[in-house]
Amino acid sequence: MSFNQKKKKKLSSEEREKRWNLGTRKRRKMISNVLFTFFTLLAIVIVCFVVYIYSVG
């Protein structure tokens, strides 16, 4: 194995790690957006329920 082949392997592992980190960041952002939307909708439902209970009672 020549020096250039070893260097290519090292670069490819660094590239794999870089891509994995970028993917992790994208997943984290997507999960954050989904959770924000879910909890916002849940809060709206709770507020509507409370308003309904007070208006009926």
Side-chain angles (χ1 to χ4, degrees):
M1 191 181 296
S2 71
F3 178 74
N4 288 337
Q5 289 174 338
K6 288 181 183 178
K7 192 173 183 180
K8 284 182 183 180
K9 280 189 175 186
K10 184 176 180 185
L11 289 176
S12 68
S13 68
E14 289 172 356
E15 185 66 27
R16 267 187 264 131
E17 185 177 338
K18 181 180 173 185
R19 288 183 185 195
W20 187 82
N21 287 337
L22 288 174
T24 303
R25 200 175 302 159
K26 287 179 184 179
R27 278 190 302 271
R28 190 176 299 145
K29 187 173 182 178
M30 184 181 68
I31 291 170
S32 173
N33 287 337
V34 169
L35 286 175
F36 176 77
T37 304
F38 172 75
F39 285 121
T40 301
L41 291 174
L42 182 64
I44 291 170
V45 168
I46 291 171
V47 168
C48 290
F49 179 72
V50 169
V51 168
Y52 172 74
I53 293 297
Y54 277 115
S55 66
V56 171

